[in-house]
Amino acid sequence: MHSVAYRLNTLVSFSVLPLALMLAAASFLDGFNSPTVQAHAQIHKIRRFRKQVNGADEVNLSLNISMDMESLFTWNTKQVFVFVTAEYQTPKNSLNQISLWDHIIPDKEHAKFQRVVPNKYPLIDQGSNLRGKNIELVLHWHIMPKSGKMIQDKMSLSTFNLPEAYS
Amino acid sequence: MGWIGDQIESIRSIQVRQLLTQAISLGMIVTSALIIWKGLMCVTGSESPVVVVLSGSMEPGFKRGDILFLHMSKDPIRAGEIVVFNIDGREIPIVHRVIKVHERQETGEVDVLTKGDNNYGDDRLLYAQGQLWLQRHHIMGRAVGFLPYVGWVTIIMTEKPIIKYLLIGALGLLVITSKE
């Protein structure tokens, strides 16, 4: 009845409970963190604006991005995935959301920066609607926890108009 | 003679009862596991509410052996969400992040492009031949929760089946031999 195996079994199965409670608490406490994110982004330069062979508009550009995401980090944060999307409407689509640039912030020490970056992914439309189009830049962040619930949020950064002619 | 017969009878009845109790407790374990799984299916609306990460394509966010909890709601799919999707002709579902969304004006149908955080390019190479976008019906759910390491149990068991049979055998033996 009180063999080593029996005691080991009891110990292991009991330790699962406090562990689960601690993980749940860590994730639950994340909910009390009310972050204040500060970020700005503008178009630095339109590098190339063309029509692909298949007829779809394609824009390559560079962005001037600055952000302070330090307040997002808690003790349960593994990393924060940030990305900037271009969002616009076309007659065919009520929403076009295209990721232009993304970045993984591994810890709080690297959560504040300013830099000029080329787009990682080109802005490609599902057609030829981009000339003169008004486009909104939106910053999204996705908090990936050490365990528990994943948290997502976004903020609008700025809007700009694409040129009327291809370059 | 009568006394001995009584004794044998009582031993027999104990064994039968014990055997029955053991069978029932074994059945309880199996059915409660099934109840939890099916209950999760109901709550999350996803046909597989828990998935194990099998590749390193989402590192450092998700490593091999981590567990993801999925949720499938009517909410529209948006960029940045981590979705689990099935490709026609591929058995194993893939967990990747949405980087592009095009949502139709009238029908609300979506075209979605995904990419693994740790991959260099987007997922068009993984999709079926000639497929450019994922549609709603490819997507099994979006990841909402995360638990590290726990999935290693299933990875080890699928890759080393002997361990699985040993474990099942040992557990079964334990249930049958344990008294109360």
Side-chain angles (χ1 to χ4, degrees), chain B residues 1 14 16 26 30 33 35 52 64 73-74 78 89 93 97 112 124 132 136 156 158 164 170 173 177-178:
Chain B
M1 192 64 196
I14 285 170
V16 166
L26 197 69
V30 173
I35 289 169
V52 177
R64 194 167 141 80
S73 62
K74 289 232 155 47
R78 290 290 174 260
R97 191 187 297 277
V112 168
R124 288 205 170 126
L132 291 178
R136 186 88 199 190
I156 288 169
T158 41
K164 177 166 67 181
L173 216 69
T177 53
S178 72

Side-chain angles (χ1 to χ4, degrees), chain B residues 121-139:
Chain B
D122 61 42
D123 284 348
R124 288 205 170 126
L125 288 172
L126 298 176
Y127 296 169
Q129 191 125 41
Q131 182 181 2
L132 291 178
W133 306 99
L134 293 181
Q135 267 85 40
R136 186 88 199 190
H137 64 91
H138 293 113
I139 291 168

